């Protein structure tokens, strides 16, 4: 028997034209990338790792920072991970004519690989690094470059032929860094018909404010959470589906296809 919550979500997706999705690490666990805070999460067994992934630690200890960063974010394997059913389902909604805006806390780039075109990477990306001294050049160093050097450095050469060699900063937003695209995120969270939060513990600010703004601000909308476990913000959701993202979307898709036939 189909769960009534799945039926309700299917109806909301079918009815909505403007869908905003806030995704977290949970959507990528089915691609083999561990999340941070569930029982097998990267932070769960070693909370000190959080302080090492801070802007203060990077500035004070850049040589120590880089090997830890590379290990924690799996940089060596980062080009090998593939989108899973959850990423694909959201990308397909766009192909079906819905306006889908993805606000992702993820840094793995998998929503874009799946084909979603309107993606805001609020916490940046592991796909590049940059030199803080030459930010104005907008030069990005890709994963291949980052992996070639143990401590990646800037290769910018000045007018006198001297190479910069400053230690790069990762494209990921570190603790203590400002998040990206918050204005666009706020706009998308409040101006939609359906706000869907998936695979996030909602423990990281200021992103965890978005369900609250979505509930009280902007257009009339429904707010839905799909997550394996509860969050401290559960009271803000109209529907909470406790379960796997891929499994949930597969059931929704079956219902949607049934309706179309
Ligand atoms: P989190 O680890 O705090 O929470 C993930 C949540 O997803 C947990 O509540 C977990 O129970 C749930 N979950 C895991 N797999 C699931 C599945 N298949 N179906 C349904 N629910 C599932 O993650 P967060 O809230 O995104 O915050 C973590 C921070 O870590 C973010 O800032 C993000 O940048 C970073 N991060 C990113 C990645 C990535 O890019 N893939 C991976 C780990 C961490």
């Amino acid at each position: 028997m189909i769960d009534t919550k799945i039926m309700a979500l299917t109806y909301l997706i079918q009815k909505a034209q403007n869908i905003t999705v806030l995704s977290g690490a949970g959507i990528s666990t089915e691609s083999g990338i561990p999340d941070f805070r569930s029982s097998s999460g990267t932070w769960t067994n070693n909370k000190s790792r959080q302080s090492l992934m801070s802007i203060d630690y990077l500035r004070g200890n850049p040589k120590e920072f880089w090997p830890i960063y590379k290990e924690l974010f799996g940089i060596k394997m980062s080009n090998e991970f593939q989108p899973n059913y959850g990423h694909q389902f959201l990308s397909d909604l766009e192909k079906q004519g819905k306006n889908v805006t993805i606000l992702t806390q993820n840094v793995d780039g998998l929503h874009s690989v799946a084909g979603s075109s309107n993606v805001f990477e609020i916490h940046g990306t592991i796909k590049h690094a940059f030199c803080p001294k030459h930010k104005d050049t907008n030069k990005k160093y890709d994963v291949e470059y980052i992996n070639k050097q143990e401590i990646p450095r800037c290769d910018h050469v000045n007018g006198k032929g001297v190479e910069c060699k400053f230690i790069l900063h990762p494209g990921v937003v570190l603790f203590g860094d400002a998040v990206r695209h918050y204005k666009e995120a706020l706009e998308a969270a409040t101006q939609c018909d359906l706000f869907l939060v998936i695979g996030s513990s909602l423990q990281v600010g200021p992103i965890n404010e978005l369900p609250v703004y979505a509930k009280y601000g902007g257009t009339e909308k429904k707010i839905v959470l799909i997550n394996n476990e509860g969050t401290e913000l559960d009271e803000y959701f109209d529907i909470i589906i406790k379960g796997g993202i891929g499994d949930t979307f597969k059931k929704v898709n079956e219902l949607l296809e049934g309706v179309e036939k």
Side-chain angles (χ1 to χ4, degrees):
M1 211 172 72
I2 299 279
D3 189 302
T4 51
K5 290 182 178 178
I6 304 271
M7 285 170 77
L9 174 59
T10 307
Y11 172 73
L12 292 174
I13 289 177
Q14 205 187 9
K15 208 176 63 152
Q17 182 53 37
N18 298 309
I19 302 175
T20 297
V21 178
L22 170 61
S23 71
I27 194 173
S28 293
T29 56
E30 291 170 33
S31 292
I33 305 174
D35 63 15
F36 276 171
R37 294 182 184 79
S38 64
S39 56
S40 55
T42 303
W43 291 160
T44 311
N45 295 325
N46 190 344
K47 296 236 174 340
S48 67
R49 287 171 164 177
Q50 283 197 48
S51 60
L52 301 181
M53 287 302 103
S54 67
I55 189 71
D56 285 347
Y57 188 76
L58 167 62
R59 284 186 184 139
N61 312 273
K63 288 186 190 162
E64 289 79 6
F65 170 90
W66 267 100
I68 304 169
Y69 166 80
K70 283 186 181 181
E71 195 213 317
L72 284 183
F73 284 91
I75 303 299
K76 275 218 159 63
M77 295 203 24
S78 59
N79 281 337
E80 286 165 32
F81 293 111
Q82 293 303 320
N84 60 55
Y85 189 86
H87 299 102
Q88 207 55 59
F89 175 84
L90 295 172
S91 154
D92 288 348
L93 286 181
E94 206 179 306
K95 292 189 194 101
Q96 289 154 23
K98 309 274 185 195
N99 299 323
V100 183
T101 305
I102 312 256
L103 312 173
T104 189
Q105 299 172 80
N106 294 347
V107 292
D108 55 33
L110 292 183
H111 283 295
S112 300
V113 177
S116 287
S117 64
N118 201 16
V119 181
F120 292 97
E121 294 179 312
I122 311 292
H123 291 159
T125 176
I126 54 171
K127 298 288 179 177
H128 70 246
F130 65 94
C131 175
K133 280 192 168 179
H134 293 102
K135 248 182 153 176
D136 53 322
T137 64
N138 218 15
K139 177 158 182 180
K140 307 269 195 274
Y141 296 86
D142 62 16
V143 169
E144 210 187 337
Y145 184 94
I146 295 168
N147 276 333
K148 259 194 241 154
Q149 308 178 22
E150 198 190 345
I151 319 284
R153 291 174 182 270
C154 177
D155 65 0
H156 181 84
V157 179
N158 71 14
K160 292 177 185 159
V162 179
E163 203 177 354
C164 167
K165 290 192 175 166
F166 196 78
I167 296 180
L168 301 179
H169 275 207
V172 165
V173 171
L174 299 170
F175 288 103
D177 248 342
V179 298
R180 317 249 160 89
H181 312 294
Y182 197 63
K183 194 166 156 264
E184 291 92 337
L186 208 48
E187 166 90 11
T190 51
Q191 307 300 320
C192 59
D193 313 319
L194 174 62
F195 186 56
L196 198 51
V197 179
I198 56 179
S200 176
S201 63
L202 293 175
Q203 287 183 41
V204 180
I207 288 311
N208 58 3
E209 295 168 354
L210 293 178
V212 183
Y213 286 117
K215 186 171 178 73
Y216 295 116
T219 50
E220 200 174 307
K221 68 185 78 61
K222 293 291 182 194
I223 309 181
V224 179
L225 172 72
I226 307 171
N227 208 48
N228 272 340
E229 57 195 6
T231 74
E232 282 176 20
L233 296 176
D234 282 1
E235 65 190 275
Y236 293 96
F237 292 93
D238 298 301
I239 302 173
I240 296 177
I241 297 174
K242 272 198 190 155
I245 294 162
D247 190 42
T248 302
F249 283 154
K250 275 180 196 151
K251 288 177 185 156
V252 169
N253 196 46
E254 276 172 27
L255 287 176
L256 284 171
E257 285 184 342
V259 169
E260 277 161 19
K261 275 174 199 155

